[in-house]
Amino acid sequence: MKGDPPATVRDHIFISYRRDDARGASGRLYDWLRIAFGGEHLFRDVHDIGVGKWRDKIDGALARSAVCVAVIGPRWANADNLPRLHDEADMVRHELVKALASEELTVVPTLVEGAEVPKTADLPPVLRPLFDTWNARKVNEEAWEDDTRRLIAEIGGAARLSAKPDLDALLRDVGAAQQRLAELEQTRRLQAAQIEGLRGTVEDLTRKLAGASAGERPGLADAFAALARGDSLAAEGAFEREFEVQFRAADEARTASAGAARNVANLALVRDVTKAVRFYRRALDVDPEDSETARLLGYAFMLLGDLKEAEAAFSRSLAIALRQGDSWGEMAAQIGLGDVFQRTGNLDAAHGAYTAALRLGERAVGTDPANTEWQRDLSVSHDRIGDVLVSQGDGEGALKAYRTGLAICETLAQRDPANTQWQRDLSVSHDRIGDVLVSL
């Protein structure tokens, strides 16, 4: 009728997620939806909630949305978060109740990080349609490229949005780049921590692409295409430019430049370890209290064969972690020191460092048994102790350590069979045990 307010245009995609559940996966999905459709069509509260009353902000965003993507990770309905879903004051519950009540919204439950569909009987009745009415989609790490492409196509169809024409090529190149980096663990003998650093850098580069202007996008696309071929130089250049700009800026931005320097270093490991060392040092000059950067510097020195500098870097990482009460950083630094001691033939010191890491891991797992990162590092500590015992001629002791590490690997692999890293860990554990059995 004449005088009626115009209907709200529904051309947005709303991402609902639990921050202590799948923040990383939701961020990655958010980035790829921005790459596909443009950031102006996305709403994710960590970026877009702004100031004001959160219910009004959420309700307004949902009123502009055609699709609500509910990101479900393994902790979404665990013992800590299930009671929150029964609490009417909970933001995630409010988002989903509002979305499910709308006849104009398509709801897409999206399972990530190996999550399974929760038992609907455990959910409050108002949330049960999330799985009883709507079909859940999975994004698995092993089939990440295909799953993401399929999900974007379905979301675009529901929102009546067309993906940008370079999307398929970008998905292919980023997937190939991730695979290329994973192979470096074998071809360049990079440590797991270095591979994780590289993956994080690729995610930061993806974030750059998601926020890029039309003029910047082709250059970043070329950087990904080069990475897929094993050439990191263009990607290094993108972060080097960011580092120079931030380093010359005010104090807050200058501190942020440490992250850009570390990304340059992570990428430089692919082709120029000396450059990697230089940029890890630059990152530490800007942010001297970063335990992880000091640890990555230690592993870079190990690649160069400079064990004295490697020991100094790991010792610095350990000291920072102790000052900050960072148990995970302390454990990781002890493993790094153990690696140096083992390389230098100081087996007693190596055993002591690995045992210290093991004790830290056992305490952490005892307080947070669902933390897979702690579980994996605990397995690594058992394996490293087994390596030392093999060098000391204690085959029986080594076999016991390896089997304990294997049991942890088996639990992780059963929890998420699609996780290629855990499957690789499982294979390595079997190989270690086989080698010891042959020698007994």
Side-chain angles (χ1 to χ4, degrees):
M1 289 181 61
K2 188 177 180 179
D4 286 347
T8 302
V9 176
R10 290 182 175 269
D11 61 353
H12 279 62
I13 300 163
F14 185 104
I15 298 180
S16 170
Y17 70 104
R18 177 75 72 188
R19 292 188 188 186
D20 65 352
D21 170 41
R23 187 169 190 164
S26 72
R28 191 178 185 190
L29 180 57
Y30 173 75
D31 287 338
W32 275 102
L33 289 170
R34 286 196 294 161
I35 291 167
F37 304 117
E40 68 274 16
H41 292 291
L42 271 292
F43 180 93
R44 178 174 177 248
D45 65 8
V46 70
H47 291 278
D48 305 319
I49 198 76
V51 297
K53 298 179 180 178
W54 67 262
R55 288 179 188 269
D56 293 343
K57 298 282 186 177
I58 294 296
D59 294 352
L62 284 168
R64 298 190 301 274
S65 297
V67 176
C68 174
V69 181
V71 183
I72 313 294
R75 293 170 294 282
W76 188 81
N78 68 0
D80 293 325
N81 287 323
L82 185 59
R84 298 168 72 181
L85 294 174
H86 286 266
D87 181 357
E88 293 184 2
D90 179 63
M91 182 185 290
V92 172
R93 172 191 163 114
H94 177 81
E95 292 170 350
L96 295 176
V97 168
K98 194 78 176 178
L100 290 168
S102 172
E103 295 183 358
E104 299 178 84
L105 265 171
T106 297
V107 182
V108 185
T110 304
L111 304 170
V112 298
E113 298 178 2
E116 299 293 336
V117 172
K119 294 179 181 178
T120 53
D122 294 338
L123 300 176
V126 290
L127 290 183
R128 292 174 188 171
L130 181 61
F131 302 103
D132 290 342
T133 302
W134 298 98
N135 291 326
R137 297 290 184 262
K138 281 192 175 186
V139 177
N140 290 319
E141 192 63 33
E142 190 175 52
W144 173 84
E145 183 184 334
D146 289 339
D147 288 351
T148 302
R149 182 181 285 106
R150 187 179 304 111
L151 183 65
I152 287 174
E154 291 176 350
I155 290 171
R160 297 182 180 179
L161 294 172
S162 297
K164 296 185 179 183
D166 60 353
L167 177 68
D168 278 349
L170 285 168
L171 280 167
R172 182 182 63 249
D173 287 341
V174 173
Q178 291 280 17
Q179 180 60 37
R180 176 82 65 171
L181 296 179
E183 291 168 356
L184 291 172
E185 193 168 6
Q186 302 298 322
T187 61
R188 293 292 302 275
R189 301 187 68 80
L190 295 188
Q191 298 291 324
Q194 293 170 306
I195 297 298
E196 285 304 308
L198 274 164
R199 286 180 177 142
T201 294
V202 171
E203 289 177 8
D204 284 349
L205 193 63
T206 303
R207 204 164 295 119
K208 273 180 170 293
L209 179 63
S213 66
E216 296 168 330
R217 186 169 174 127
L220 290 168
D222 288 344
F224 272 118
L227 266 181
R229 299 190 301 270
D231 179 2
S232 63
L233 194 57
E236 290 170 42
F239 286 113
E240 283 186 73
R241 290 189 291 275
E242 179 185 339
F243 171 75
E244 294 298 338
V245 169
Q246 291 179 334
F247 188 76
R248 293 189 179 96
D251 288 346
E252 184 177 344
R254 191 173 187 274
T255 301
S257 72
R262 192 167 76 179
N263 280 331
V264 175
N266 289 339
L267 288 161
L269 290 171
V270 175
R271 58 175 199 87
D272 186 351
V273 181
T274 300
K275 180 179 179 179
V277 165
R278 186 166 73 250
F279 272 87
Y280 283 135
R281 281 178 158 164
R282 287 187 181 183
L284 282 170
D285 287 343
V286 177
D287 186 5
E289 288 296 296
D290 192 310
S291 176
E292 184 178 1
T293 299
R295 181 165 50 90
L296 290 170
L297 175 62
Y299 280 120
F301 275 123
M302 288 186 71
L303 286 174
L304 291 175
D306 191 336
L307 298 181
K308 182 178 179 180
E309 288 288 356
E311 181 180 350
F314 287 127
S315 296
R316 178 176 180 177
S317 177
L318 178 60
I320 295 169
L322 286 167
R323 282 197 297 273
Q324 296 176 346
D326 176 7
S327 297
W328 187 87
E330 185 182 350
M331 179 183 184
Q334 290 283 16
I335 291 174
L337 281 170
D339 291 346
V340 171
F341 295 143
Q342 188 170 21
R343 290 271 189 96
T344 59
N346 190 346
L347 298 182
D348 288 340
H351 192 279
Y354 291 146
T355 301
L358 179 67
R359 298 292 173 255
L360 286 163
E362 287 173 338
R363 286 201 297 272
V365 169
T367 58
D368 186 7
N371 189 315
T372 55
E373 190 172 22
W374 278 112
Q375 294 276 2
R376 184 172 188 268
D377 286 341
L378 186 59
S379 173
V380 168
S381 295
H382 282 292
D383 286 346
R384 293 291 210 280
I385 288 173
D387 292 343
V388 172
L389 293 172
V390 166
S391 298
Q392 292 176 325
D394 184 1
E396 292 291 345
L399 194 58
K400 181 179 178 181
Y402 287 149
R403 282 175 170 163
T404 304
L406 173 63
I408 297 171
C409 288
E410 287 175 335
T411 300
L412 291 174
Q414 289 169 4
R415 188 177 300 174
D416 183 6
N419 189 305
T420 54
Q421 178 63 62
W422 294 347
Q423 294 295 335
R424 188 159 53 250
D425 290 347
L426 191 60
S427 174
V428 170
S429 290
H430 280 295
D431 287 344
R432 282 188 165 107
I433 289 172
D435 289 344
V436 173
L437 288 173
V438 167
S439 66
L440 288 178

